[in-house]
């Protein structure tokens, strides 16, 4: 089955700096890669996702890149702000054959210092 | 407003008790999921359902059971709670989809402590 590894487990940056979180997956059939943000004490929320037919997707300060050959994808946050502080989870699935069952990475706790 | 509701939000209970965690959604979604998550840690899928009378076990072995008698309701039951069941339980739902990739929406969670 699918296995998703996420690094780093913790990340501390200064406000205004960029943050990068990386994930690798094992199942080459995976074709959907969402990223969720979970603030302390709150529910996870989708912030961006990418499909296997796309190499990069951007939404304001957030971008995700996908390298299917190497089986890894990354989340890039530019101009970080204190409200970006949260735990970020990557996930992967073969949507056609796994029916939307997501396999999550271990999470990255991002701390943005003012 | 369309949302996912979980009750109770917090539960402290003694070993051996039977408990049911409730999850209801007004999103109109067919798919529903239960995840187990220790605070700030990885989410592990323990049960999922694609519709009424459909239930499947997830990737993490769990002693809990689920039922799906109504589309909007997906309760999780522990027949005999143990301290090892202490965790947060998150319910989620998504559209049935087809060839589209569908966002999973999460409920606020139930934090369970078994003494």
């Amino acid at each position: 089955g699918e296995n998703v590894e996420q690094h780093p487990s913790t990340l501390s940056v200064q406000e205004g700096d960029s943050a990068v979180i990386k994930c690798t997956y094992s199942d080459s059939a995976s074709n959907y890669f969402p990223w969720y943000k979970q603030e302390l004490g709150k529910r996870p929320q989708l912030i961006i996702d990418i499909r296997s037919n796309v190499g990069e997707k951007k939404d304001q300060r957030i971008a995700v890149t996908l390298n299917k050959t190497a089986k890894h994808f990354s989340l890039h946050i530019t101009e970080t702000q204190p409200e970006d502080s949260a735990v970020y989870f990557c996930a992967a699935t073969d949507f056609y054959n796994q029916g939307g069952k997501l396999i999550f990475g271990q999470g990255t706790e991002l701390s943005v210092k003012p | 407003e369309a949302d996912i509701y979980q009750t109770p939000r917090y539960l402290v209970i003694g070993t051996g008790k039977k408990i049911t965690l409730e999850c209801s959604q007004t999103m109109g979604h067919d798919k529903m999921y239960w995840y187990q998550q220790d605070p700030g840690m990885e989410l592990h899928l323990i049960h999922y359902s694609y519709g009424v009378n459909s239930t499947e076990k997830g990737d993490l072995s769990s002693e809990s059971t689920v039922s799906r008698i109504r589309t909007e309701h997906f309760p999780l039951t522990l027949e005999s709670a143990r301290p090892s069941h202490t965790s947060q339980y998150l319910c989620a739902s998504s559209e049935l989809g087809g060839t589209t990739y569908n966002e999973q929406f999460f409920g606020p969670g139930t934090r369970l402590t078994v003494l």
Side-chain angles (χ1 to χ4, degrees):
Chain A
E2 177 64 279
N3 182 53
V4 178
E5 297 287 332
Q6 183 172 346
H7 300 281
S9 57
T10 61
L11 179 59
S12 182
V13 300
Q14 287 296 131
E15 183 177 359
D17 288 349
S18 295
V20 180
I21 302 170
K22 299 182 179 182
C23 289
T24 59
Y25 60 98
S26 61
D27 189 351
S28 56
S30 288
N31 47 42
Y32 176 59
F33 308 90
W35 286 88
Y36 283 80
K37 175 184 180 183
Q38 186 177 26
E39 297 178 21
L40 187 64
K42 296 194 175 179
R43 65 185 84 181
Q45 290 192 304
L46 180 74
I47 56 171
I48 195 166
D49 55 15
I50 191 167
R51 307 179 187 184
S52 58
N53 59 348
V54 175
E56 183 174 358
K57 185 176 177 181
K58 202 171 183 178
D59 183 4
Q60 298 183 337
R61 297 186 296 109
I62 293 173
V64 57
T65 58
L66 171 65
N67 184 326
K68 283 169 41 181
T69 304
K71 288 189 283 188
H72 69 69
F73 56 111
S74 300
L75 177 72
H76 304 253
I77 306 174
T78 59
E79 300 172 24
T80 54
Q81 301 167 4
E83 52 264 39
D84 294 329
S85 295
V87 180
Y88 291 80
F89 294 96
C90 63
T93 188
D94 170 5
F95 191 86
Y96 293 105
N97 294 302
Q98 294 296 320
K101 284 171 53 184
L102 294 174
I103 304 300
F104 284 87
Q106 296 80 6
T108 296
E109 184 176 1
L110 173 65
S111 176
V112 180
K113 299 187 185 307
Chain B
E1 182 180 339
D3 204 350
I4 302 176
Y5 303 91
Q6 290 187 243
T7 57
R9 293 292 313 280
Y10 303 90
L11 180 61
V12 180
I13 201 163
T15 297
K17 298 291 185 183
K18 177 180 178 179
I19 59 169
T20 296
L21 307 185
E22 301 287 349
C23 175
S24 294
Q25 50 98 1
T26 56
M27 312 283 284
H29 289 162
D30 288 295
K31 292 182 181 178
M32 295 189 74
Y33 313 83
W34 276 104
Y35 291 90
Q36 185 174 340
Q37 181 191 35
D38 291 329
M41 304 293 283
E42 186 174 355
L43 288 87
H44 295 282
L45 181 68
I46 51 175
H47 297 283
Y48 62 100
S49 168
Y50 289 160
V52 172
N53 294 326
S54 153
T55 61
E56 301 285 346
K57 287 190 178 294
D59 299 312
L60 180 68
S61 176
S62 174
E63 294 164 345
S64 58
T65 59
V66 292
S67 63
R68 190 87 184 275
I69 299 171
R70 302 198 324 257
T71 301
E72 63 274 15
H73 196 215
F74 191 39
L76 180 146
T77 298
L78 274 167
E79 289 293 332
S80 180
R82 295 208 303 267
S84 60
H85 296 137
T86 295
S87 189
Q88 174 164 250
Y89 293 83
L90 286 163
C91 181
S93 71
S94 67
E95 294 180 8
L96 187 58
T99 57
T100 55
Y101 303 99
N102 298 117
E103 176 180 355
Q104 285 190 21
F105 293 85
F106 285 84
T110 293
R111 186 153 292 180
L112 173 66
T113 301
V114 184
L115 303 175

